Amino acid sequence: MVDAAGLLSVSERRKLSNRLVDVERQSKHQFVVVTVKSLGGHDIADYGLNLGRTWGIGRRCFDDGVLLIVAPNERKVRIEVGYGLEKALRDEEAGEIIRNDILPRFKEGKFAEGIAAGSEAIIREITQ
């Protein structure tokens, strides 16, 4: 959990971080949530791929990492899914999570709630 955009309170970051650690411990899948102040002119898809590769999200042999990226200044959200989890969390499902769980809350200015709801929806998909 990296909140570079400062969208979450300390207690919200701690709670989400603990949840992500628990998910990884139980499922072995690594799920990382990141907020950024700016994408620096990059496309969010490219930014996510580069971030995932640089940080080594997911187990190398399984490519089973998930990354939720929130860039509020550019009004962009993306869920990047490693190949090893594509059956559990398809592009269509990721799109539905963004549309149904995240964006409605973001439109109300409730970023923490949107991130929490989206994270829980992702967790449901990757731990079934």
Side-chain angles (χ1 to χ4, degrees), residues 22-99:
D22 288 343
V23 167
E24 185 174 356
R25 189 177 301 124
Q26 293 170 4
S27 71
K28 305 296 184 237
H29 306 309
Q30 189 174 30
F31 173 24
V32 175
V33 176
V34 100
T35 73
V36 297
K37 290 181 182 178
S38 171
L39 296 169
H42 298 283
D43 175 74
I44 194 167
D46 294 336
Y47 191 93
L49 286 172
N50 289 333
L51 193 59
R53 288 183 185 136
T54 301
W55 287 0
I57 298 172
R59 294 175 293 174
R60 186 178 304 242
C61 300
F62 297 97
D63 194 15
D64 61 346
V66 178
L67 178 62
L68 170 60
I69 309 164
V70 178
N73 291 335
E74 286 95 344
R75 301 175 59 95
K76 300 285 184 184
V77 178
R78 183 159 177 92
I79 299 171
E80 281 295 333
V81 181
Y83 292 121
L85 279 177
E86 284 185 336
K87 288 182 182 177
L89 181 57
R90 298 183 331 267
D91 288 343
E92 298 83 16
E93 293 164 328
E96 286 178 19
I97 290 169
I98 291 170
R99 284 188 303 278

Side-chain angles (χ1 to χ4, degrees), residues 3-16:
D3 184 23
L7 300 178
L8 307 174
S9 69
V10 172
S11 64
E12 290 164 336
R13 277 194 310 270
R14 187 177 306 119
K15 182 178 179 181
L16 183 54

Side-chain angles (χ1 to χ4, degrees), residues 102 104-115:
I102 299 173
R105 289 166 176 93
F106 280 13
K107 288 177 182 175
E108 295 176 0
K110 299 177 180 176
F111 290 102
E113 286 183 23
I115 291 168

